[in-house]
Amino acid sequence: MIDQQDISKFEEESKPIDIKYYIIKYSRYWPIYIISVLMALTVAFLYHRYTVERYEVRGSILIKRNASPEVRILDRSNIFSEMNNMENDILIFTSKNLAAEALKNLHFDVSYFASTNIKEVELYDKSPIRVNVDWDHLQLENGLIQLTLVGEDEFVLSREEKSIANYFSAKANGPVDENIIEKRYTFGEVIESSNSKFSIEKVKSMRVGDKLSFVIHNPSALIDHYSDAVSVRPQNNYGSVLQVTLVSTVVEKGRDYVNALMDAYIQYDLREKNLISENTLEFIDEQMFIVEDSLRSAERRMLNFKVENKLLDLESEFGGVLGRIHVLEGHIQELEFELGYYNSLKSYLENRSEDYGEILAPSMMGISDGLLNGMTQSLITISMERRRLLSTVNENHPDVEKLNDQIERLKENIFENIKNLVANTEEKKREAELKLAEFDREFSKLPQAESSYTNIYREYKLRENLYNYLLEKRAEAGIAKASNVPDNSVVDYARKGNLIFPKKSQNYGMALGLGLFIPLGILLLYHYLNNRIMDQVQLKTAIRIPLLGTIGYSERGTNMLVAEFPKAIVSESFRSIRSALFYIASERKCKRILVTSSVSGEGKTFVSLNIASAMSLSGKKTCVIGMDLRKPRIAQYVGVSNKKGLSSYLVDKATKEEIVHQTKYENLYFVPSGPIPPNPAELLLKNKLENFINELEKEFDVIVMDTPPLALVSETMDLLRFSDVNLYIVRQDYTQKKYLLMINDLYENDQVKDFYCVFNGLKAGGDVYDFGGYNYGYGYNYSYIRKNKYTGNYYEEDAHPKSEAWLSRLISRLRG
């Protein structure tokens, strides 16, 4: 006989189960995976079908810097200013003022939508109508109004009908003006009520019955929305190109806004550059208006004096002295003009404390002092930078405070320079006035008439020279303004959009992955939480005793399967166990086989009867004893009365001959359990049972004992003394792993011996891992044979492979 140690050693040398076990185990559920993947892909398709796409539209603009690299190197304060300037430009791009400038040229105050039950479809420039809103009138905004064409030029306004698309779209759902709906209008007609005033014109052909919807938006809300929606960032870390990005549901709409925003920024930059020229022109125009009036007055006085005194050509006679007087007076006039500018500049700087963007540069007024020009230009530049920064941040921002400090230092330097210039200019003026007084004394020697005329003429020439000077400066300022071009330029206008939501390929990939892994995860969780034995691998992991063989699940309606259907596949499983038993207990003349299990319902009686049947078919005279006195079933399975049996014999109410019954099958006998006694455990301890088994041993070759469950009752442990071989029945998808703890403890503590496990009720598919030849050569693997199409009709089931309905086969495959 092969001892227990040998089999345990053989078990330890068996190869461990690798990943193939799990692949085969979970690949059997492929219909579930296919169904789950199809459902997930369907959900993804419907999601894409009813989701409004969003596109990313991009444009780029080049931000040029006026200061050259050499200037930035010499001026250490500007070495790191470029990044700050870029940040300021980014803030300007996202400002509401620039958004308002961009929206002025766009028809975004009305949105048009196609009438569809699938999803929101905005028409934008493809709309066949155009709504012209009178924003000087009160408007009821954000209400969705539906237009239905009822005639060639007639339409009806109504509420849009509710559909599934309304619950998943971004359409406005504000109130609708009840005074204008459900009425007929014509295109071009002014639609007016206390809350609305607009007109609708048809720009494209429409058919009677066509429907579309439109929404009137609040301009302030549009400015807020688009200023927040636009994203601006440097295109790279080393250049000065900004990338302007907008996410929009309509590519054309996003494209138009991005392009309009970049154009508005360029125009803003040009306006800032023209501001100095415009202020200069305005100042010169004011001065010219005053000088022109005085020039005309002086000219009239001179003409009248000539007529009255009959003077024709006084200049030829006294031209030398008079010319020097004119030059000197012009010089004094220029000095007075400079003094006036200095005083005006000083007063301007004293009265203004923050914004100096409107200051007039000295060079624009013909003052050539380089130091004052440089400081004034720096003050203008910093002031404009400060104003640009304040359009996006508050006055407490660190950059603003830094610019304020620079402005204060420049003002102090300018005041000091103006003080010096005023002193020098006044000194020059005093010297010129002294020379002019000498010329006046020399000219006073002329006759009274000529002297009076000369005074009038001098005043006229002074006004004329000043007027010509202002004309010249005005022309120069106009040329400077006309020659101004924007420093910035558009690199790439927005043309097309990239789909960013929903990401269809990614979503379909996620749906495919979820369709595969969600059912797999559920199955893994189910199998992890499932405490029942499902296949041989789990059984070998959970039990310590050797596995003798497996018995397939039988769909025959009988418990005498081997006797009635000897060619069935399940019958072959019992023959395999029979061969193993002969090999294990070959040294004994009589094989006393005890059959037990953990709990009731695992097939002890079924296995006992069929092992006995297999023994009888081999020519062994076999007897099955029903020792389960608590829940007897063997008589019921065989089809005889249970009035007399083992319990009756043990209480001396029946003889051995009365309880040993011969079946209709050759060499097969059985002993029923008999009536249920009040003390089955004590009854089985009697010596009479031992004598009964010894007597049967003399008469039979094999004795099979069907005993109670080992984990439920105590008498089974007492019956082990009568057995040569003990079979422990484990049923697939029924026996729980915790039930095996008892037999494992008994086996490891050497309290039981000669115990072997039989795996009963094994079904192919589901949670079963099919692998042939796993059971040490003790028998065939039923589930492997059942699915092998090369069995060659050795078994009765092979003759009817298609008798099972396809639905039953699918349920069987999905089982578990």
Side-chain angles (χ1 to χ4, degrees):
M1 182 177 89
I2 297 178
D3 58 9
Q4 178 178 335
Q5 295 294 331
D6 293 335
I7 292 182
S8 300
K9 181 178 180 181
F10 187 80
E11 176 185 357
E12 292 175 359
E13 293 176 354
S14 61
K15 294 183 178 180
I17 300 300
D18 57 5
I19 193 64
K20 179 182 177 183
Y21 163 72
Y22 298 98
I23 294 176
I24 295 178
K25 181 181 180 69
Y26 292 103
S27 63
R28 295 182 180 277
Y29 297 93
W30 62 266
I32 295 180
Y33 302 144
I34 292 179
I35 294 173
S36 178
V37 167
L38 290 177
M39 292 177 61
L41 292 176
T42 302
V43 170
F45 171 77
L46 293 176
Y47 176 74
H48 295 155
R49 180 71 169 168
Y50 289 96
T51 300
V52 179
E53 292 88 356
R54 288 189 299 202
Y55 298 88
E56 185 180 66
V57 184
R58 296 179 181 177
S60 56
I61 185 171
L62 175 64
I63 307 298
K64 297 179 181 178
R65 296 289 167 240
N66 293 329
S68 63
E70 294 80 4
V71 173
R72 290 201 299 271
I73 292 174
L74 293 175
D75 186 1
R76 297 180 181 272
S77 64
N78 290 330
I79 292 177
F80 303 103
S81 64
E82 184 170 356
M83 183 56 66
N84 292 331
N85 291 334
M86 290 286 289
E87 292 176 357
N88 295 339
D89 292 324
I90 292 174
L91 293 174
I92 292 173
F93 261 106
T94 57
S95 65
K96 292 180 173 55
N97 291 335
L98 199 65
E101 290 294 326
L103 290 171
K104 284 181 181 179
N105 303 320
L106 301 172
H107 182 61
F108 281 10
D109 55 345
V110 181
S111 297
Y112 307 93
F113 301 94
S115 181
T116 173
N117 293 327
I118 298 176
K119 62 181 176 182
E120 172 190 314
V121 178
E122 186 174 354
L123 298 175
Y124 186 50
D125 55 355
K126 299 180 180 62
S127 172
I129 66 170
R130 180 182 176 90
V131 179
N132 300 311
V133 183
D134 184 0
W135 288 110
D136 294 331
H137 190 277
L138 179 66
Q139 299 291 339
L140 194 61
E141 301 140 353
N142 298 327
L144 190 63
I145 304 174
Q146 186 177 69
L147 180 147
T148 305
L149 191 67
V150 296
E152 182 67 23
D153 292 318
E154 292 186 339
F155 58 88
V156 173
L157 299 182
S158 61
R159 293 179 179 270
E160 186 181 50
E161 299 176 359
K162 290 291 183 180
S163 65
I164 189 174
N166 294 108
Y167 298 98
F168 298 98
S169 71
K171 292 182 182 179
N173 53 1
V176 177
D177 189 356
E178 300 291 342
N179 298 322
I180 63 173
I181 64 173
E182 305 301 337
K183 296 180 180 179
R184 296 172 71 99
Y185 301 97
T186 59
F187 289 109
E189 177 184 354
V190 177
I191 302 171
E192 185 176 3
S193 70
S194 58
N195 295 323
S196 303
K197 185 178 181 181
F198 57 88
S199 63
I200 302 176
E201 59 177 308
K202 183 167 66 173
V203 295
K204 295 180 182 179
S205 60
M206 297 177 64
R207 294 178 297 180
V208 176
D210 286 351
K211 297 181 179 180
L212 59 87
S213 304
F214 63 90
V215 177
I216 298 176
H217 301 289
N218 186 297
S220 299
L222 283 177
I223 293 172
D224 293 339
H225 169 72
Y226 280 99
S227 63
D228 296 335
V230 72
S231 173
V232 185
R233 62 179 181 84
Q235 191 159 332
N236 54 59
N237 296 328
Y238 306 103
S240 61
V241 176
L242 294 179
Q243 186 179 82
V244 185
T245 305
L246 178 70
V247 176
S248 175
T249 58
V250 183
V251 175
E252 294 79 7
K253 194 171 186 178
R255 175 200 63 199
D256 291 348
Y257 179 76
V258 170
N259 294 339
L261 186 67
M262 292 190 296
D263 291 338
Y265 179 80
I266 292 175
Q267 293 301 318
Y268 165 80
D269 180 62
L270 184 60
R271 284 198 305 271
E272 290 294 316
K273 291 188 65 176
N274 288 334
L275 183 61
I276 297 175
S277 299
E278 290 174 355
N279 293 334
T280 303
L281 288 172
E282 182 180 355
F283 176 79
I284 292 175
D285 288 339
E286 293 176 357
Q287 297 299 318
M288 286 183 63
F289 178 76
I290 298 173
V291 172
E292 184 179 7
D293 185 62
S294 60
L295 177 62
R296 290 176 181 174
S297 176
E299 185 179 9
R300 286 194 299 270
R301 288 173 56 197
M302 185 183 67
L303 291 176
N304 293 334
F305 188 86
K306 276 187 175 183
V307 173
E308 292 175 358
N309 296 277
K310 297 179 181 180
L311 297 177
L312 298 178
D313 189 10
L314 194 63
E315 296 179 10
S316 59
E317 186 175 354
F318 303 100
V321 177
L322 191 60
R324 290 193 295 271
I325 292 175
H326 289 165
V327 172
L328 199 56
E329 287 180 341
H331 180 59
I332 293 174
Q333 186 67 37
E334 291 179 0
L335 294 175
E336 290 178 350
F337 184 80
E338 291 182 9
L339 287 173
Y341 172 77
Y342 296 148
N343 293 327
S344 175
L345 178 61
K346 182 179 179 182
S347 176
Y348 179 85
L349 294 177
E350 289 175 346
N351 296 329
R352 301 292 291 268
S353 60
E354 295 178 351
D355 189 3
Y356 302 96
E358 297 179 0
I359 194 172
L360 298 178
S363 59
M364 300 297 296
M365 305 307 300
I367 298 174
S368 58
D369 186 80
L371 182 59
L372 181 63
N373 267 302
M375 289 190 295
T376 306
Q377 191 64 43
S378 298
L379 181 63
I380 294 172
T381 303
I382 295 175
S383 179
M384 293 176 65
E385 184 69 22
R386 180 182 182 277
R387 181 169 60 184
R388 177 182 299 181
L389 187 61
L390 285 175
S391 64
T392 55
V393 299
N394 54 38
E395 294 186 355
N396 296 325
H397 194 273
D399 290 342
V400 176
E401 294 180 352
K402 180 180 177 181
L403 294 177
N404 290 338
D405 294 339
Q406 296 180 12
I407 290 174
E408 289 300 322
R409 287 195 297 269
L410 278 173
K411 282 176 60 179
E412 293 176 1
N413 295 333
I414 291 174
F415 282 143
E416 185 66 24
N417 187 254
I418 289 176
K419 180 179 178 181
N420 296 331
L421 289 174
V422 168
N424 294 334
T425 305
E426 288 179 347
E427 180 65 25
K428 292 179 182 178
K429 181 181 176 184
R430 281 194 296 271
E431 293 177 357
E433 287 177 346
L434 290 176
K435 292 182 180 180
L436 183 61
E438 294 178 2
F439 290 136
D440 285 338
R441 285 194 297 271
E442 183 179 350
F443 199 75
S444 62
K445 298 176 181 179
L446 296 175
Q448 184 66 35
E450 287 86 348
S451 178
S452 298
Y453 173 78
T454 302
N455 291 330
I456 296 174
Y457 182 73
R458 285 168 54 191
E459 182 181 356
Y460 167 76
K461 293 299 290 185
L462 181 64
R463 299 290 183 267
E464 184 182 31
N465 291 336
L466 180 59
Y467 186 76
N468 293 333
Y469 175 80
L470 292 175
L471 280 178
E472 180 182 354
K473 294 302 177 182
R474 188 179 188 279
E476 292 176 357
I479 294 173
K481 179 181 178 182
S483 61
N484 279 341
V485 293
D487 289 334
N488 308 317
S489 60
V490 175
V491 177
D492 285 317
Y493 279 104
R495 289 181 175 83
K496 61 180 182 178
N498 299 321
L499 180 65
I500 61 170
F501 180 84
K503 297 182 178 179
K504 296 185 178 180
S505 58
Q506 178 178 330
N507 291 343
Y508 279 121
M510 291 178 59
L512 181 62
L514 291 175
L516 289 173
F517 288 106
I518 287 180
L520 179 60
I522 294 174
L523 290 172
L524 288 171
L525 180 64
Y526 168 74
H527 291 151
Y528 176 77
L529 299 176
N530 184 15
N531 196 37
R532 293 173 294 177
I533 302 296
M534 302 304 299
D535 56 35
Q536 297 101 313
V537 174
Q538 291 183 356
L539 178 60
K540 290 295 296 179
T541 304
I543 201 167
R544 298 292 180 265
I545 62 176
L547 178 61
L548 185 67
T550 59
I551 299 173
Y553 179 80
S554 175
E555 297 180 353
R556 306 287 186 178
T558 179
N559 289 290
M560 302 296 294
L561 183 68
V562 174
E564 296 182 6
F565 301 96
K567 293 186 64 176
I569 298 178
V570 181
S571 300
E572 190 64 28
S573 300
F574 284 103
R575 290 190 184 93
S576 300
I577 296 176
R578 178 189 67 188
S579 301
L581 289 172
F582 283 160
Y583 182 66
I584 292 172
S586 59
E587 295 181 0
R588 296 184 180 273
K589 180 181 178 181
C590 178
K591 286 80 175 177
R592 287 186 284 186
I593 304 169
L594 184 143
V595 181
T596 186
S597 67
S598 301
V599 293
S600 177
E602 292 174 312
K604 299 180 302 299
T605 304
F606 172 76
V607 172
S608 299
L609 288 174
N610 284 282
I611 287 179
S613 299
M615 293 291 185
S616 66
L617 288 176
S618 67
K620 302 290 184 179
K621 190 175 181 180
T622 307
C623 180
V624 183
I625 304 176
M627 291 186 172
D628 189 355
L629 303 183
R630 298 173 184 267
K631 196 174 182 181
R633 289 184 179 179
I634 190 170
Q636 177 185 352
Y637 289 170
V638 178
V640 298
S641 174
N642 195 40
K643 290 182 179 181
K644 288 185 178 183
L646 182 62
S647 61
S648 304
Y649 174 78
L650 294 177
V651 296
D652 298 324
K653 291 185 178 181
T655 63
K656 180 177 76 69
E657 290 75 14
E658 291 177 334
I659 64 173
V660 178
H661 299 276
Q662 182 178 7
T663 65
K664 60 181 179 179
Y665 308 108
E666 185 180 359
N667 296 326
L668 183 59
Y669 298 80
F670 78 98
V671 176
S673 303
I676 301 175
N679 55 344
E682 290 76 11
L683 197 60
L684 292 174
L685 290 175
K686 290 185 175 182
N687 293 329
K688 192 173 183 179
L689 176 60
E690 184 178 1
N691 296 332
F692 175 69
I693 295 176
N694 291 333
E695 291 178 5
L696 291 178
E697 186 177 5
K698 298 175 183 179
E699 185 178 352
F700 295 95
D701 298 323
V702 178
I703 298 175
V704 180
M705 293 175 282
D706 179 27
T707 63
L710 183 64
L712 299 182
V713 297
S714 60
E715 55 263 30
T716 303
M717 292 294 296
D718 299 325
L719 296 176
L720 294 177
R721 68 184 189 275
F722 301 122
S723 63
D724 300 325
V725 178
N726 305 297
L727 300 182
Y728 192 84
I729 309 302
V730 176
R731 184 176 177 180
Q732 182 201 15
D733 200 16
Y734 186 86
T735 303
Q736 297 189 20
K737 297 176 183 178
K738 62 182 179 179
Y739 296 159
L740 305 180
L741 297 177
M742 180 179 179
I743 187 64
N744 288 338
D745 291 339
L746 294 174
Y747 182 74
E748 291 178 353
N749 296 326
D750 294 329
Q751 298 181 17
V752 296
K753 61 180 180 178
D754 297 324
F755 252 88
Y756 301 93
C757 178
V758 175
F759 198 19
N760 183 35
L762 187 65
K763 292 183 178 181
D767 287 335
V768 180
Y769 177 48
D770 296 333
F771 53 100
Y774 186 83
N775 299 323
Y776 318 136
Y778 289 154
Y780 302 103
N781 187 301
Y782 161 74
S783 59
Y784 173 79
I785 295 174
R786 177 68 180 269
K787 295 171 67 64
N788 192 341
K789 63 181 180 180
Y790 302 109
T791 52
N793 292 332
Y794 276 98
Y795 307 102
E796 292 179 356
E797 284 86 345
D798 292 340
H800 308 285
K802 297 183 180 180
S803 60
E804 189 178 9
W806 68 270
L807 183 59
S808 300
R809 294 197 301 271
L810 179 61
I811 293 174
S812 176
R813 184 170 294 278
L814 300 180
R815 182 181 176 274

